[in-house]
Amino acid sequence: MEVIRVEGGYPITGEVAVEGAKNSALKLMAATILAPGVTTLTNVPDISDVHVMGKVLTYLGAKITVKNLHELEIDTTNINRWDAPYHLVAQMRASTAVLGPLLARFHKVVVAMPGGCNIGARKIDMHILGLEALGVTFDINHGNIHAKDEHGLRGTLVSLEFPSVGATENLMMASVHAQGVTTIENAAREPEIVDLANFLQEMGAKIKGAGTPIIEIEGVSEELHPVECHKVVGDRIEAGTFIALGGLCGDPVEVKGFNPKHLSLVLKKYEMMGLSIEQGNDFVRVQRKQPINSVDIQTLPYPGFPTDMQAQTVCLLALGNSSCVVTENVFENRFMFASELQRMGADIRLEGHHAVIHGISHFSGTDVKSPDLRGGAALVMAGLVADGYTTVSAIQHIDRGYENFVPKLQKLGAHIQRLQVADEEM
């Protein structure tokens, strides 16, 4: 198996450019189903989750051409299936994003119950309840979700119990052809939602309010058209990871290729923690010349502190100058990486959805296992400042969301390698 091995204690400094947002690219790829023809997406990250979504679309009948490393040409003219099988959906929960567009195009869909990171239930109840309000009927059996729209989707008011990103996206895509106006209350407000809404509008959909708690979609009767070129928004979470890494290591790191406004609360919290933050239109420069201040954090839906930045921030706070509490309000299993960080010396006590953190002076390198995407990145971060060597296994999780993670760290000065080792060595 492959592992990432880090020798800690070396200066980390320089510039790093982030890729397009994973959580946007996947949904944009699914949305191409809505417009038969050839759509081109640029700034698409070369990561395993994108490869899986590509396999889903190919299975459905799409033809995907990689024009260059970050440009995909997706031809959905001959899509003739409306089922997403378990062997693909089990690899990535975001595969359920095809639910809405397949309903809008074919009025029926079969999607396997989702898989992905083991960070929480992430049930799709809200997707189902919202789509039922539009007129979709569901039958769930043998591990599959069977959905159909027999009488045409009709616009209505849908109030989400929680501002679910996935439910908001599926409702937006399903309702583009619904009769009348669909209003989503308590909608997710993430930048990736805005990117999807802009993309759908380029296709000919009529959407107002994306980025606010109330989104209105006016159904259109005419067929949507493919988009000649759409650039995926920069990945704020990859950017946040490298910003946290720069703050952890101390020397100046400049992170480019994203909108700093998409990380406003994270950057404010990091300044409270003693990090020096300089912002431009599409970059952040970070360094730290003082001890890390211990600051309480609680994750919330956007524009709150993102759950996807929780693990990286806990890594910083584990070396803080006092004690603090991190509260996870989004995914119940998001602290799984904490036990691995404890192996490196961290003083973390879990109490339900709270992590009580007492700062220590340093991490000790050891063998750790990546439990999920962001937790894996955080463990690599810890290895950069740990005494001795840290070996991170189960790195397939990291590959799901970070392109060229090891080469980018090497360019910043990290003594880090990706190695093939025998299972018995771990």
Side-chain angles (χ1 to χ4, degrees):
M1 64 177 178
E2 283 192 301
V3 300
I4 292 176
R5 185 161 294 163
V6 190
E7 184 180 5
Y10 290 90
I12 303 297
T13 189
E15 295 182 357
V16 60
V18 302
E19 314 301 335
K22 172 183 88 80
N23 291 332
S24 187
L26 298 174
K27 313 308 169 60
L28 297 175
M29 291 174 71
T32 62
I33 294 170
L34 290 165
V38 179
T39 289
T40 299
L41 297 175
T42 63
N43 202 34
V44 180
D46 183 21
I47 54 176
S48 62
D49 269 13
V50 165
H51 301 163
V52 172
M53 184 59 84
K55 291 177 182 177
V56 171
L57 293 178
T58 301
Y59 175 87
L60 295 173
K63 181 181 179 182
I64 300 179
T65 304
V66 181
K67 303 295 288 186
N68 60 52
L69 184 61
H70 297 119
E71 182 175 328
L72 297 183
E73 185 180 88
I74 305 174
D75 186 351
T76 59
T77 305
N78 296 318
I79 284 184
N80 58 3
R81 302 189 65 130
W82 47 85
D83 61 307
Y86 178 72
H87 76 274
L88 293 174
V89 177
Q91 298 178 44
M92 183 183 66
R93 293 172 187 258
S95 301
T96 56
V98 300
L99 189 62
L102 285 174
L103 276 169
R105 181 163 171 177
F106 295 106
H107 307 287
K108 55 185 174 181
V109 60
V110 179
V111 176
M113 294 294 284
C117 270
N118 297 316
I119 57 174
R122 285 208 278 194
K123 297 176 181 177
I124 62 168
D125 296 4
M126 280 183 284
H127 302 234
I128 292 173
L129 288 172
L131 291 168
E132 281 180 335
L134 294 175
V136 180
T137 57
F138 286 89
D139 182 22
I140 301 175
N141 57 60
H142 302 291
N144 291 316
I145 303 165
H146 298 256
K148 58 184 176 180
D149 145 36
E150 293 180 333
H151 306 292
L153 295 178
R154 57 189 182 274
T156 188
L157 171 64
V158 180
S159 296
L160 295 177
E161 177 185 349
F162 177 87
S164 162
V165 173
T168 301
E169 290 164 337
N170 259 325
L171 286 166
M172 285 170 57
M173 290 188 281
S175 59
V176 293
H177 290 312
Q179 293 180 1
V181 176
T182 300
T183 302
I184 308 171
E185 287 188 343
N186 199 24
R189 301 164 60 183
E190 276 76 358
E192 295 78 19
I193 294 285
V194 177
D195 199 22
L196 176 60
N198 291 340
F199 184 59
L200 294 174
Q201 288 175 305
E202 291 166 22
M203 287 180 164
K206 296 182 178 180
I207 301 174
K208 296 179 182 178
T212 77
I214 300 177
I215 299 177
E216 288 187 353
I217 306 97
E218 181 183 347
V220 296
S221 56
E222 59 270 18
E223 190 176 75
L224 299 188
H225 53 78
V227 177
E228 186 174 326
C229 184
H230 180 92
K231 183 179 180 180
V232 179
V233 68
D235 196 324
R236 63 193 171 100
I237 304 302
E238 182 187 8
T241 300
F242 282 108
I243 293 167
L245 184 152
L248 182 72
C249 298
D251 289 330
V253 171
E254 183 172 312
V255 186
K256 305 185 295 183
F258 78 109
N259 185 344
K261 292 179 181 178
H262 295 165
L263 280 178
S264 292
L265 185 57
V266 173
L267 298 180
K268 287 178 183 176
K269 285 289 187 178
Y270 282 4
E271 286 179 327
M272 293 171 63
M273 291 165 60
L275 279 58
S276 174
I277 303 286
E278 178 188 343
Q279 300 182 43
N281 289 331
D282 66 347
F283 75 89
V284 163
R285 188 175 295 112
V286 58
Q287 63 178 325
R288 178 176 58 84
K289 298 180 179 180
Q290 63 183 71
I292 297 170
N293 296 323
S294 296
V295 174
D296 292 342
I297 301 285
Q298 63 170 327
T299 67
L300 288 168
Y302 190 87
F305 196 96
T307 182
D308 279 352
M309 283 302 303
Q310 182 249 96
Q312 304 91 311
T313 305
V314 166
C315 184
L316 274 165
L317 293 171
L319 297 183
N321 58 8
S322 185
S323 300
C324 61
V325 177
V326 173
T327 302
E328 174 57 55
N329 293 310
V330 181
F331 294 133
E332 65 269 26
N333 294 338
R334 202 92 209 217
F335 286 129
M336 289 193 301
F337 81 98
S339 60
E340 298 298 303
L341 203 59
Q342 287 169 335
R343 286 176 47 77
M344 300 181 72
D347 185 351
I348 302 173
R349 186 178 75 253
L350 300 182
E351 298 179 357
H353 64 124
H354 305 285
V356 181
I357 303 170
H358 302 286
I360 60 171
S361 61
H362 66 280
F363 293 128
S364 298
T366 188
D367 294 343
V368 290
K369 184 176 182 179
S370 170
D372 55 59
L373 169 55
R374 308 305 173 184
L379 292 170
V380 173
M381 279 176 53
L384 293 172
V385 294
D387 295 338
Y389 288 88
T390 298
T391 302
V392 183
S393 60
I395 62 173
Q396 72 275 6
H397 294 298
I398 299 173
D399 292 338
R400 289 187 51 233
Y402 294 95
E403 178 183 330
N404 291 330
F405 195 47
V406 168
K408 286 181 178 181
L409 290 173
Q410 289 172 333
K411 187 178 176 182
L412 292 174
H415 285 219
I416 184 171
Q417 291 178 291
R418 188 171 176 133
L419 302 171
Q420 193 83 29
V421 299
D423 289 354
E424 57 268 20
E425 291 184 43
M426 291 301 297

